[in-house]
């Protein structure tokens, strides 16, 4: 209907609205409970692709695969304007196909496909994903990437995992002025669910 993929936004944030501790040690900052990984991996299983920005790869070195549940790994989408991320990062391993949207090169290297776009705006990214017959995308970060899709009003559903910790410093979570449809408790976390049809 929208001639674009279905977009599901997801992030975890602390009580004081931080997504991380502001460090770049290539270790994922654990905000939600360990048990919540099962829920996150279920969401990954449910979507054809998973998308992150370059800084998330550099700072957290995620694999972006399905591990806590049984299911097929999503196609990994990375936004990297200069296409200069090292292929030593986990997101480039052979566990799944990886597409790098960038501004400089068009190339296929093993399971990695570099696709050059004129810009990396949400509209351009979604138009290309639609051309690739990718119909559902989970966007996991980082804050800037999530905010760009929120600001462009290009999303359908969202989930925020609200942890119990508070970080003195770190990256602020996206500004998301939307009323939640419902919330539920999941192993100590409050998970707030949102639908675009229920916007303020």
């Amino acid at each position: 209907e929208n001639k674009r993929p279905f977009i599901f936004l997801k992030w975890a944030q602390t009580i004081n609205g931080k997504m991380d501790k502001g460090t770049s040690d290539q270790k994922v900052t654990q905000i939600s409970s360990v048990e919540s990984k099962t829920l996150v991996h279920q969401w990954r299983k449910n979507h054809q692709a998973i998308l992150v920005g370059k800084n998330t790869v550099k700072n957290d070195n995620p694999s972006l695969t399905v591990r806590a549940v049984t299911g097929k790994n999503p196609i990994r989408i990375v936004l990297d304007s200069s296409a200069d991320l090292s292929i030593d990062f986990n997101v480039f391993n052979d566990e799944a196909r990886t597409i790098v949207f960038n501004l400089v090169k068009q190339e296929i290297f093993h399971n990695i496909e570099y696709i050059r776009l004129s810009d990396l705006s949400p509209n351009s990214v979604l138009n290309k994903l639609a051309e690739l017959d990718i119909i559902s995308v989970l966007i996991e970060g980082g804050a800037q990437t999530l905010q760009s899709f929120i600001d462009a009003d290009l999303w359908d559903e969202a989930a925020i995992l609200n942890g119990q910790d508070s970080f003195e410093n770190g990256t602020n979570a996206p500004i998301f002025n939307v009323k939640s449809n419902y919330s539920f408790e999941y192993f100590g976390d409050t998970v707030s669910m949102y639908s675009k049809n229920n916007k303020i």
Side-chain angles (χ1 to χ4, degrees), residues 10-81:
K10 168 264 165 185
W11 69 90
Q13 64 184 36
T14 62
I15 293 172
N16 61 334
K18 301 294 183 182
M19 291 180 66
D20 57 39
K21 295 180 178 178
T23 58
S24 302
D25 55 8
Q26 295 188 18
K27 294 181 180 179
V28 176
T29 302
Q30 190 66 43
I31 293 175
S32 55
S33 64
V34 174
E35 292 83 0
S36 291
K37 285 184 179 180
T38 302
L39 185 60
V40 172
H41 285 231
Q42 183 66 47
W43 288 331
R44 290 182 180 179
K45 171 188 173 182
N46 291 344
H47 292 279
Q48 189 179 358
I50 181 169
L51 183 149
V52 297
K54 177 178 184 175
N55 288 338
T56 295
V57 175
K58 290 175 65 176
N59 295 341
D60 299 343
N61 195 19
S63 296
L64 303 181
T65 53
V66 175
R67 301 183 299 281
V69 298
T70 301
K72 184 178 179 181
N73 290 327
I75 299 168
R76 300 174 293 198
I77 312 292
V78 178
L79 306 183
D80 177 12
S81 59

Side-chain angles (χ1 to χ4, degrees), residues 158-174:
I160 301 176
L161 286 79
N162 300 283
Q164 302 303 308
D165 291 330
S166 178
F167 297 160
E168 183 176 349
N169 300 302
T171 303
N172 291 326

Side-chain angles (χ1 to χ4, degrees), residues 30 61 71 90 104 134 140 184 191:
Q30 190 66 43
N61 195 19
N90 292 333
V104 295
I134 293 175
E140 281 205 11
F184 60 92
V191 183

Side-chain angles (χ1 to χ4, degrees), residues 185-198:
E185 295 297 318
Y186 196 86
F187 291 99
D189 297 327
T190 300
V191 183
S192 299
M193 303 298 298
Y194 302 81
S195 171
K196 194 172 184 180
N197 295 327
N198 200 31

